[in-house]
Amino acid sequence: QVQLMESGGGSVQAGGSLRVSCQARGSRHIIDPAWYRQAPGKVREWIADITENGHTNYADSVRGRFTISRDSAKNTVNLQMNNMKPEDTAVYYCNGRLPVMGYLGREEEYWGQGTQVTVSS
């Protein structure tokens, strides 16, 4: 069963903006969440993450244009994408560790199923 779910994908023209979000099933705390993307014929690429103490990291390809953030409950992670380029076209995936339901202190890594983002020139 899907444990992380992305939303907010769609189509936008170059220079435009989109915001994608990821929420954990059961509103669980997403630990050390990250965003990845995979373009057709390409390997999955890490693009951003945010640590538990709030530090953010970005791939060179998105730095200055994308912003990763999370809500106060840490069950949602967002990626604000500005000044988008055609090369940003990809399926965007969220990744993170979640507490295992019913097992205090345990956690597992999960991937969302991805959301398509298409940027037209």
Side-chain angles (χ1 to χ4, degrees):
Q1 196 168 15
V2 175
Q3 302 298 321
L4 295 174
M5 181 70 72
E6 301 93 344
S7 63
S11 298
V12 66
Q13 289 189 305
S17 298
L18 282 175
R19 179 183 171 116
V20 291
S21 297
C22 177
Q23 188 165 35
R25 173 179 164 87
S27 296
R28 287 176 289 167
H29 179 170
I30 308 174
I31 304 162
D32 293 331
W35 283 97
Y36 292 74
R37 67 186 182 187
Q38 188 167 18
K42 303 291 185 180
V43 299
R44 192 166 297 184
E45 174 192 21
W46 167 85
I47 55 172
D49 62 47
I50 183 166
T51 68
E52 290 304 292
N53 57 4
H55 291 99
T56 58
N57 300 283
Y58 299 95
D60 289 343
S61 58
V62 306
R63 186 178 294 108
R65 300 188 297 120
F66 291 10
T67 302
I68 187 171
S69 63
R70 63 194 306 166
D71 67 356
S72 59
K74 297 187 177 182
N75 59 4
T76 303
V77 59
N78 303 304
L79 186 70
Q80 178 67 44
M81 302 180 286
N82 297 327
N83 191 24
M84 299 193 74
K85 304 175 180 180
E87 52 263 44
D88 294 325
T89 296
V91 177
Y92 283 70
Y93 298 89
C94 61
N95 170 269
R97 304 193 308 280
L98 301 178
V100 177
M101 296 180 67
Y103 294 90
L104 184 65
R106 298 185 185 183
E107 60 188 51
E108 296 283 351
E109 184 182 7
Y110 293 98
W111 291 90
Q113 291 186 316
T115 185
Q116 178 70 50
V117 171
T118 302
V119 184
S120 60
S121 60

